[in-house]
Amino acid sequence: MMFSTLKKDLRQLYREKRNGIAAEAIRQQSEIIADRLCGWLSDYPHIRCIHSFLPSESKKEVDTFIILRQIREAFPLLKIAVPRIGAGDRVLSHHVFDAATDLVSNRWGIPEPADSEEISVDEIDAVLLPLLIFDKSGHRVGYGGGFYDAFLAVCRTDTRKIGLCIFDPVEIISDTGPHDIRMDVCITPSHVWDFTG
């Protein structure tokens, strides 16, 4: 069966596919992704600060609470940062996330830190990226808000960009452009897809 390779169509298709997955299956797949990510991180001891999105239950995203808990256990010295969306400007700020961090839901139902130390983008060595689907070249389809494209554009050039996805890739996303920043790696339950080679 042929399907469109345009972002808007892939966004709709994979949003529907993900909505059809049971919460327990998301949890199990997130645990597998956590194992794969921790294995990948063990090869990169220079990563001292990792930035992660926090999951929206309504979007059935990869459960990064599971992943961050496992990272904390495996790499206790690794600093974890999470985003907060600025009121009105739709720009992300970045904050320390530890056991003492209080979370509140923003207007989109996404958890974010109520009040924790803000960190500079320059401190961030790796970013865990939310997405719906990706292609075999490392391009991703997000939710269309542009938050992460803007964030990645100001990250250091050596900051590792790591996608987390329930699904394996499509062959190609046909309408990528110069503003689309490729991932270095995308981790799925079945594989670690490396796009750096």
Side-chain angles (χ1 to χ4, degrees), residues 73-150:
E73 290 170 6
F75 307 97
L77 299 180
L78 187 60
K79 182 187 280 188
I80 297 171
V82 295
R84 188 162 67 203
I85 300 171
D89 60 11
R90 296 172 63 93
V91 173
L92 301 180
S93 58
H94 314 287
H95 301 264
V96 171
F97 180 64
D98 57 27
T101 305
D102 289 324
L103 297 174
V104 295
S105 287
N106 66 19
R107 62 182 173 243
W108 294 283
I110 301 168
E112 55 184 27
D115 185 31
S116 69
E117 176 191 348
E118 187 170 351
I119 67 163
S120 164
V121 169
D122 292 336
E123 276 190 69
I124 298 168
D125 300 309
V127 179
L128 302 181
L129 296 166
L131 61 130
L132 286 157
I133 191 60
F134 65 108
D135 71 11
K136 291 183 177 178
S137 297
H139 292 105
R140 58 184 267 280
V141 174
Y143 299 102
F147 292 103
Y148 276 84
D149 292 322

Side-chain angles (χ1 to χ4, degrees), residues 5-178:
T5 57
L6 296 173
K7 286 182 197 174
K8 68 178 182 58
D9 297 324
L10 290 168
R11 185 173 292 122
Q12 180 178 341
L13 175 64
Y14 281 90
R15 187 177 276 136
E16 289 170 4
K17 282 182 180 245
R18 206 165 64 183
N19 283 342
I21 300 174
E24 177 60 17
I26 296 284
R27 187 191 65 74
Q28 290 171 353
Q29 292 170 337
S30 297
E31 288 175 353
I32 296 167
I33 291 170
D35 288 341
R36 290 189 183 283
L37 175 61
C38 285
W40 183 89
L41 280 171
S42 66
D43 292 333
Y44 293 88
H46 67 280
I47 293 177
R48 307 227 189 272
C49 179
I50 190 166
H51 183 285
S52 178
F53 67 97
L54 293 178
S56 165
E57 275 188 46
S58 66
K59 291 181 180 173
K60 293 198 171 176
E61 290 181 308
V62 172
D63 189 340
T64 51
F65 287 123
I66 290 170
I67 290 166
L68 296 177
R69 189 165 49 248
Q70 194 161 326
I71 287 174
R72 244 192 226 114
E73 290 170 6
F75 307 97
L77 299 180
L78 187 60
K79 182 187 280 188
I80 297 171
V82 295
R84 188 162 67 203
I85 300 171
D89 60 11
R90 296 172 63 93
V91 173
L92 301 180
S93 58
H94 314 287
H95 301 264
V96 171
F97 180 64
D98 57 27
T101 305
D102 289 324
L103 297 174
V104 295
S105 287
N106 66 19
R107 62 182 173 243
W108 294 283
I110 301 168
E112 55 184 27
D115 185 31
S116 69
E117 176 191 348
E118 187 170 351
I119 67 163
S120 164
V121 169
D122 292 336
E123 276 190 69
I124 298 168
D125 300 309
V127 179
L128 302 181
L129 296 166
L131 61 130
L132 286 157
I133 191 60
F134 65 108
D135 71 11
K136 291 183 177 178
S137 297
H139 292 105
R140 58 184 267 280
V141 174
Y143 299 102
F147 292 103
Y148 276 84
D149 292 322
F151 169 33
L152 294 177
V154 298
C155 285
R156 297 188 333 249
T157 56
D158 65 337
T159 297
R160 305 293 283 191
K161 296 164 288 297
I162 307 162
L164 304 178
C165 191
I166 296 296
F167 305 107
D168 283 338
V170 295
E171 196 65 36
I172 189 169
I173 298 165
S174 58
D175 57 341
T176 57

